[in-house]
Amino acid sequence: MGCGTSHNAAAHEPMNSNAAIATTMPSTKQQETVKSTQSTSQKSSGNCCTAKLKTFFLIKYHSYFLATINVLITCHQNEKNVADRLRSQLIGLKFNCYTLTDTTPSSIVARANLVRWSDVFISLISRSYQRAFCCMETINYAKDIRKPIVVILGESNFQPYGALGAISAGAVHTMLLDDDGTSENVVTQLSNIISNQKIKKNSKNVTDPAKMEANNDKVNLIHGETQCTILICTVDDGAAVAQLVYDDFISNNLN
């Protein structure tokens, strides 16, 4: 038997370049499938981003409207019982609520902080309110820092005049207490008015009132580390008290 070299017949066949290209290039249908897949992928990615963006804004939207509204009720001490009933009812409706009278709190720092803390400023006005310097000082400050002011007339036969009359005229709402005082109708109206206000939350120079109450004897009049000079003004009758204040400041290394 003779041994001859074995050759593969296919090795001697000429290569068809077109055939090689045909096997490496996808068909038109394949190209369309690839494009469709890419397009679907891009759309899916775009939809995902859009969904995430919508979710983000929805969270922001709900956070904005679900944030608890801070309400400050101011009055003369003669109307404090009415103000306290209003406060209790508004707290029951999930509002944060504090009352401020012409005597409480006594610290001007705490009083100013309460006005800044509030989102809506409710003023229960009366003749006594108009005559009290502290009451007028408070409502003027609320006006100056552009708080939404709701005026409640505590006396049916009282018409505010002067500065109080002007502020009342520019209030977001003015209402009269009915014969039942803080009836369900009054509270419902107040709740709707408060909820419809455009709330601008601002934490600048605002301290939680609860913390100020807990540290009422340790109110820091100076914010930060900036040095400042304190001037104590008085008349002859107040010289003794001024000296006590001065001595206390000096003992705390204040100039």
Side-chain angles (χ1 to χ4, degrees):
M1 291 179 61
C3 287
T5 305
S6 176
H7 295 284
N8 191 334
H12 294 283
E13 292 181 0
M15 181 178 289
N16 187 338
S17 59
N18 291 332
I21 294 173
T23 57
T24 57
M25 290 292 290
S27 65
T28 303
K29 184 175 286 188
Q30 288 175 325
Q31 291 178 16
E32 290 176 353
T33 303
V34 170
K35 288 180 180 179
S36 176
T37 304
Q38 290 175 343
S39 176
T40 303
S41 175
Q42 290 173 351
K43 286 181 180 178
S44 176
S45 176
N47 290 338
C48 181
C49 292
T50 304
K52 287 181 179 178
L53 196 60
K54 286 181 178 178
T55 303
F56 172 79
F57 282 113
L58 280 173
I59 291 172
K60 287 289 185 182
Y61 178 86
H62 286 295
S63 298
Y64 176 83
F65 285 100
L66 293 177
T68 306
I69 299 175
N70 299 332
V71 180
L72 178 63
I73 303 173
T74 66
C75 66
H76 188 271
Q77 58 184 336
N78 293 347
E79 285 79 40
K80 190 175 186 302
N81 289 337
V82 177
D84 284 341
R85 288 200 300 272
L86 274 177
R87 176 178 181 263
S88 177
Q89 289 167 306
L90 289 175
I91 288 175
L93 295 174
K94 307 305 180 185
F95 295 109
N96 286 333
C97 196
Y98 276 85
T99 55
L100 186 154
T101 71
D102 54 318
T103 59
T104 307
S106 57
S107 166
I108 191 171
V109 176
R111 296 171 70 84
N113 179 72
L114 274 171
V115 178
R116 290 193 301 271
W117 166 86
S118 67
D119 297 316
V120 177
F121 183 97
I122 297 176
S123 182
L124 183 58
I125 65 174
S126 61
R127 290 178 176 84
S128 299
Y129 189 99
Q130 179 137 24
R131 287 194 292 263
F133 173 78
C134 290
C135 292
M136 292 303 300
E137 180 183 55
T138 304
I139 196 170
N140 271 296
Y141 183 47
K143 173 186 69 70
D144 290 344
I145 61 175
R146 302 180 184 279
K147 293 293 180 180
I149 298 175
V150 177
V151 169
I152 301 176
L153 298 171
E155 300 172 355
S156 59
N157 59 351
F158 169 64
Q159 187 66 38
Y161 55 89
L164 185 58
I167 294 172
S168 299
V172 296
H173 191 82
T174 301
M175 59 191 299
L176 176 66
L177 282 182
D178 53 28
D179 295 335
D180 297 327
T182 57
S183 66
E184 184 178 346
N185 180 48
V186 170
V187 176
T188 301
Q189 284 188 61
L190 269 180
S191 176
N192 291 335
I193 293 163
I194 293 168
S195 300
N196 288 331
Q197 298 308 307
K198 292 182 179 179
I199 306 302
K200 296 180 180 179
K201 290 288 184 182
N202 180 19
S203 59
K204 186 177 180 181
N205 294 330
V206 176
T207 303
D208 183 352
K211 292 181 180 178
M212 290 202 78
E213 286 182 350
N215 300 288
N216 196 35
D217 296 331
K218 298 180 180 180
V219 176
N220 185 12
L221 299 177
I222 302 173
H223 298 280
E225 299 178 354
T226 304
Q227 292 186 351
C228 67
T229 301
I230 300 172
L231 177 63
I232 303 171
C233 300
T234 184
V235 293
D236 292 341
D237 292 344
V241 176
Q243 187 62 45
L244 289 173
V245 174
Y246 173 81
D247 292 341
D248 182 69
F249 282 175
I250 291 297
S251 66
N252 286 285
N253 297 320
L254 298 176
N255 295 324

